[in-house]
Each structure stands twice: as structure tokens, then as C-alpha cells.
Amino acid sequence: MVADVEQTGNALRDAAMGSKAWPYEEARKLLKRYPDGKPGGAPVLFETGYGPSGLPHIGTFNEVLRTTMVRHAFETLSDTPTRLIAFSDDMDGLRKVPDNVPNKEMLSEYLGKPLTKIPDPFGTHDSFAAHNNAMLRDFLDRYGFEYEFVSSTDYYTSGKFDDALRNVLRNYQAVMDIMLPTLRAERRATYSPVLPISRKSGIVLQVPVEVVDAEAGIVRFVDEGETVEQSILSGNAKLQWKVDWAMRWVALGVDYEMAGKDLIDSVIQSGKIARALGGRPPEGFNYEMFLDEKGEKISKSKGNGLSIEQWLTYGPDESLAFYIYREPKKAKSLHLGLIPRAVDDYWQFRGNYAGQPVEQRLGNPVHHIHNGPPPADTLPVTFGLLLNLVGVMGGDATKDQVWGYLGNYLPGASAADYPELDKLIGYALAYARDFVAPTLVRRKPGGVEVAALERLDADLAALPEGATAEDIQNIVYEIGKTGGFAELRDWFKALYETLLGSSQGPRMGSFIALYGVANTRKLIAEALAQ
């Protein structure tokens, strides 16, 4: 038995070595980074970053999920231990007040101060950063991520970064030589890698500094007209963004961190700084950004795009993970209208998994969503079909009523038999109530459509007991071919618009079998009565 398990594991590893699935391609970078394992047997360290100046959104979740997929892929290829750090840049100064928070006037009084020193506008936590950090951890925990949360403020104020800060001061000129050529002339005049925190105002200062004593961590700068000498250690300063990122990579020994396409320049400059500090930049890749319905980049401060809570109100966790997994280097819209397709595509790939050879399984998104084989159960009806059903039933439909209709399609079926389907019914009811039902408008049939609907009604009335969805589909198809329509799709569009009130719809044979022949004939009668 042990030998069989080892043989299976070796076969999986061999297949993964050649897999073109992007998590395995990323994982192989880490194998090249440490051909003989990380020195001293240390774990390979993955990091994700979060700026808690605004509420966490799906873009934040996306980075942790994709990094976790690479981590799992690496663990398939190597026995080297791993860690994942979710790092919060919560010592940053607040630059602008987010659009999607309460008590904006109060927040505006704290501009420039560290996020952990700003009161929580929601009134639930010790600081604005603590509130947003809690939200981040809540939705990471909800999804079951294995990670270690790290606070920038904790690491700066506790002295954990002190040695790294001294190292920045020792290499101050080298850092300046890297950064200054990348800045405009007016920015070069005031730029400093070190941002002292004013003892007068508590603001994170953007002022030039002079290194006085690198080993003691002392710098000199002007604060409100007064020349000040101050230690940058133990929370008295933080580093400018790109320098901070590089310092963190070196201090923590980060081996892998991905970033959005908008940070390509930051990755390049931070990599140079990491080398100047005597370290090695991590591996990683740049993913494309999520866009809202207007094609604009989603933003924590704007609050555009979707929140985790919104998606998970209308679709299961796996549907979100499926959407995030696919095509990470392609810009994608992110809005509620994507959920039905994501749910059905996820279940289609999940249904295909068992019959695929190992090479195809490793490229199947569900393999990376579930970190291996997905649960074996399948879905007897599509989410799209459920949405059509509850859309016709109306906004007040209940789960019990939906299960009543499902009895037409799955005789004797119950929630106990199909727990995943029962969950999807709940999502379908919510989605149809909020987005489908308000848009449904059944139009009056005209021309050849009237005779075709009358013929469909007669053919349905003549169906024998126990007719299948395929039998019904054949009837629908035959009417479309011989009913005088210019194209078959004109008939299907007429069915959707006159019976369902939508311009798009399901396979009608399946829908009629699910909704019931008698109920469908009532829909036809209502359409003809117009």
C-alpha cells in the first residue's frame, strides 16, 4: 500500500514537472532558485502584501489565492517546507480619505498619519488599520487559507526591522543612486528612502534626510522649520514604498511574491535595491488587473468593483476561485453578471476531472482550487437552468418550491441527496430575486411565432408519460426547422422572449422537463393570450 502511494506520488510529480499550468510553471522557478533546497533547510517563503488604506476587495483575495496555488504546486514538486506571509503595510501614512467609508470628515483630520494611529471610522476596532486588517483576515480565514499575518507596525515598533534599517542607512547612497534617476526633478529634490515620523505632529514625513550615524540609526531632517536629529529605529520611521518592499524581502528572506501589472516598475526598482542591500529579489510574475464594469481598475479607495461579500452572496467560493484562476495575465472585468457563467464553468470542469488523464487533470482549474482531486459528486442541472426556473417562478419563490419543480426532472430527489444542488438553489434564488426577476419582460408573439407556439402546445399535450428532456428537445427543434423561421436561432430567441422574458435562455428541452409540461403549457397560453 505504501509503495502504491509512493508510486502515485512520483507519477504526479513527474507529470507536474512538465505541466504547462501556470502554477506549476511558477513553482519550477523556485526549484531553479534552490536546486539543492534552501540553505539550512529553511522553508521557502511566499509573501503577499496588503495596503489597509481602504477596505479589502477581490483583488486582495486574488493575490493570496493565486500565491497559494503556486505554493501548493511547489509542494507537489518538492519536499522543501513552505510558509506564506500575508503582510499588511499598516504603518503607511493615510494619503487620501477612501470614498466607501463613514465619518470621512473625521478621517480627513488624520491625513499623513500612520494607519494604525487613525481612529476606526466604523467604531469597531482600535484603529482604521485594525478594522481593515480584521476584514482581510476574516475573508482569508473563511476560505481556509493557511497563512501567517504580519503587521508592518508590529515589525517596525518591536525592533524586528532595526537591523534591516541600519543596513539601509549603510547603503543609503546606493539606494539613492537607484531611485533618483527614476524620479522627476521636483521629486528628486525632496526624495528620501527614509520617512521619519514627526514627534510634533505624528505625521509620516516626506522630507530629505541626512544620515548621521548608520549604526545608531540616527538621521537629520527639518521638521516644521526645526532641524532635528532622530533615530529611525523601533517605530520612529518607516521606509519609502519601493525601499520598504526591498528591505522586507531581504529581512524576511522572501522567495516568491507576485504583483499586479501596474507595479512592474516597482518590482524592477525594488529588485535593484534588494541587491544593493546584499539580498536576492524573490521570484514572481506580474498579473493583469481586474476591471469594473466601466473598464476601470478596481481600487480600495474608490470601492468600485466587487467585494468578497457580494460575490459570495450570489455564488459559491469555488466559482470565485475558478474565475480568479483562469488567464492571470489577461485583464478581466469583475462584476456580478459574471457569476452564473463562472458557476457553470466550474462545475463543467469539475465533472470532466475524473475522466481525464493526469496531464489534463494538472491543467484543470479545479485541481488547483481543491489542491488535488475535487469532491466526486456532480451537478444534475446547471446553475443557468436554475436561474431560468426561479426567474419564471418570480421573486418570492422558495427552496421548497424549487425542489417541487426539480421533482419533474429528478423524481424523488431531495436536498439530502444533492446537498451541493441545494446550496446552489439558495444562490440562484438570491441572484434571480435581485438581478433577474426585475429585468424579465415577456413580449407578445407575432407572425410565424404564434403558429409555432400553438404547435408546441399541441405537441406537448400529446407527449406520453415519462417523456425525457431529449424527447422534448427534439420536438422544439423540429418546430424550429419547419415552422417558417429564417434561422433556427430565431425560434429559440422567440421562446426565450415570449415565455421567459429574456433575450437568452437554456436548452428548452431541459427547461420544460424541469418546469413541467403542464406549467410550460400555461406559459404558452399566457403568451398567446397577449
Side-chain angles (χ1 to χ4, degrees), residues 278-308:
R280 181 182 182 186
E283 310 299 324
F285 83 122
N286 297 104
Y287 54 81
E288 264 289 3
M289 310 307 295
F290 283 129
L291 309 174
D292 66 12
E293 288 182 282
K294 297 178 182 178
E296 297 178 355
K297 175 190 166 185
I298 60 174
S299 162
K300 292 189 296 293
S301 60
K302 287 183 181 179
N304 59 334
L306 286 186
S307 69
I308 289 286

Side-chain angles (χ1 to χ4, degrees), residues 379-382 385-386 389 402-414 418 421 466-473 506-517:
L379 199 64
V381 297
T382 66
L385 191 56
L386 282 177
L389 172 63
V402 175
W403 274 110
Y405 282 102
L406 283 167
N408 298 321
Y409 198 82
L410 303 165
S414 68
Y418 295 98
L421 178 57
T468 66
E470 196 61 37
D471 295 332
I472 300 171
Q473 183 68 18
R507 196 169 188 265
M508 286 304 295
S510 299
F511 174 78
I512 294 170
L514 175 59
Y515 193 54
V517 169

Side-chain angles (χ1 to χ4, degrees), residues 317-476:
D317 297 358
E318 296 88 351
S319 64
L320 175 56
F322 178 89
Y323 188 73
I324 286 175
Y325 170 84
R326 305 194 76 185
E327 300 177 306
K329 293 197 173 184
K330 178 181 178 182
K332 295 190 290 184
S333 297
L334 191 62
H335 54 82
L336 291 168
L338 299 164
I339 294 176
R341 176 68 180 271
V343 174
D344 279 336
D345 283 353
Y346 161 76
W347 276 98
Q348 181 179 352
F349 276 87
R350 179 163 157 174
N352 293 340
Y353 188 87
Q356 292 177 324
V358 64
E359 293 81 6
Q360 290 184 14
R361 287 184 175 184
L362 295 181
N364 189 321
V366 301
H367 180 84
H368 301 277
I369 292 168
H370 294 280
N371 190 25
D377 50 338
T378 57
L379 199 64
V381 297
T382 66
F383 190 60
L385 191 56
L386 282 177
L387 285 176
N388 286 120
L389 172 63
V390 297
V392 172
M393 291 171 66
D396 297 327
T398 66
K399 264 193 177 185
D400 288 342
Q401 290 172 331
V402 175
W403 274 110
Y405 282 102
L406 283 167
N408 298 321
Y409 198 82
L410 303 165
S414 68
D417 299 323
Y418 295 98
E420 292 293 336
L421 178 57
D422 189 59
K423 293 177 186 176
L424 283 186
I425 291 172
Y427 291 120
L429 288 169
Y431 192 90
R433 178 192 66 234
D434 294 344
F435 302 108
V436 178
T439 67
L440 298 181
V441 180
R442 299 179 199 170
R443 69 167 175 82
K444 178 181 178 180
V448 298
E449 297 170 352
V450 174
L453 286 171
E454 290 174 342
R455 180 177 166 189
L456 176 60
D457 180 61
D459 287 352
L460 291 178
L463 275 173
E465 192 75 26
T468 66
E470 196 61 37
D471 295 332
I472 300 171
Q473 183 68 18
N474 289 336
I475 289 173
V476 174

Side-chain angles (χ1 to χ4, degrees), residues 119-136:
D120 177 17
F122 296 89
T124 58
H125 291 75
D126 292 338
S127 69
F128 187 35
H131 173 274
N132 295 341
N133 285 340
M135 287 191 66
L136 172 71

Side-chain angles (χ1 to χ4, degrees), residues 168-219:
V168 170
L169 294 186
R170 293 188 201 105
N171 296 280
Y172 193 85
Q173 190 56 50
V175 173
M176 292 287 281
D177 290 343
I178 292 168
M179 287 303 305
L180 291 182
T182 69
L183 305 173
R184 296 188 302 270
E186 62 272 21
R187 183 76 175 101
R188 287 199 296 270
T190 61
Y191 178 83
S192 168
V194 177
L195 305 177
I197 296 177
S198 171
R199 289 176 178 168
K200 296 179 179 181
S201 65
I203 289 175
V204 181
L205 299 174
Q206 300 260 359
V207 294
V209 305
E210 176 186 349
V211 179
V212 176
D213 187 334
E215 298 309 316
I218 304 297
V219 297

